[in-house]
Amino acid sequence: EYSPTLMPGGRRFSTIRVEEDGTQRLWSFPLDRSDSGRPEMPNITAVGYHCWLRDTVLALFIVGDDGNPHTLQMVGTRAKKPQRIATNIGRCMLALPDGRLAFIQKPTDDTWLLKTYQLKTNQTEVVVKMPKGSEDFTLMADGTFVTGNGSKLLQYQPGRDVDWRECGDLSKYGVKNITRLAAHRSGKLVVVVQ
């Protein structure tokens, strides 16, 4: 199982499960262990990552096959019919406090964009171009996006910054490559490194 995520309501967590035959599906498990888990979207396979926008809607990173690009798809828990939102996406997706989804789209090998998707209007919007090679990001409580680039932490605050700016360098701790980030509402930042 990969990417465990607390589900809306707080009673279950969802995860990407690689089944015995190699199929990747979205499963959920109860926190109280009252059942052995179940596939949430039984007919949707090749799920790589996921992000809950609300209790009835989630975003799925669908792994491309046979040379096809990875896609971002929205799916409702009732109808369970995915809708393609974007192609050539990165692995990082984040539900924003205002209900939008933030994600990375890679139109070219050298141009990666941080974008948002508004579920109500079905509109995407470019927030900022990502630093070369950076596809993971998080959002701090004050609305500042943070990403890693090598050993450096960079920040971007919409409406204030015109581009990413350095806010920390972890090289003095032996960090060479920041690979994942997560922020807590208390203001603490978790960084995963190689």
Side-chain angles (χ1 to χ4, degrees):
E1 287 87 20
Y2 297 94
S3 305
T5 303
L6 187 64
M7 293 173 65
R11 291 192 200 136
R12 299 181 76 84
F13 70 93
S14 52
T15 186
I16 307 305
R17 186 174 207 183
V18 180
E19 299 169 10
E20 286 186 32
D21 65 357
T23 301
Q24 289 183 207
R25 258 188 266 270
L26 181 72
W27 280 64
S28 76
F29 298 89
L31 294 180
D32 65 5
R33 300 180 183 183
S34 58
D35 66 56
S36 299
R38 64 178 182 242
E40 286 293 317
M41 306 285 159
N43 297 321
I44 302 175
T45 60
V47 180
Y49 301 91
H50 70 294
C51 178
W52 290 93
L53 292 179
R54 54 182 193 234
D55 61 346
T56 58
V57 179
L58 71 153
L60 299 175
F61 173 111
I62 302 296
V63 178
D65 61 352
D66 298 326
N68 292 313
H70 307 311
T71 60
L72 170 61
Q73 299 190 21
M74 290 293 168
V75 64
T77 57
R78 291 184 184 104
K80 300 182 182 180
K81 293 183 180 176
Q83 174 190 357
R84 183 182 296 186
I85 303 302
T87 58
N88 293 316
I89 65 164
R91 64 184 170 229
C92 190
M93 299 182 289
L94 184 66
L96 302 180
D98 63 5
R100 292 178 299 157
L101 175 76
F103 67 99
I104 301 296
Q105 188 168 33
K106 303 174 178 181
T108 71
D109 289 342
D110 295 323
T111 303
W112 295 359
L113 305 171
L114 174 59
K115 295 178 109 176
T116 59
Y117 171 74
Q118 177 57 261
L119 187 63
K120 291 178 185 175
T121 61
N122 199 32
Q123 300 284 322
T124 59
E125 185 177 303
V126 175
V127 177
V128 65
K129 182 179 176 183
M130 293 297 289
K132 187 173 176 76
S134 297
E135 73 172 307
D136 290 283
F137 62 90
T138 193
L139 185 72
M140 302 304 288
D142 69 353
T144 300
F145 288 97
V146 177
T147 190
N149 193 262
S151 65
K152 297 183 188 297
L153 288 170
L154 307 174
Q155 66 180 24
Y156 174 82
Q157 189 170 61
R160 185 185 75 190
D161 296 326
V162 295
D163 203 353
W164 294 93
R165 56 191 174 93
E166 186 177 329
C167 61
D169 188 344
L170 304 181
S171 61
K172 62 185 171 187
Y173 302 107
V175 172
K176 294 181 179 162
N177 188 26
I178 298 168
T179 60
R180 303 281 201 284
L181 301 133
H184 188 268
R185 59 184 169 269
S186 68
K188 293 186 178 180
L189 181 67
V190 176
V191 179
V192 178
V193 301
Q194 284 183 324

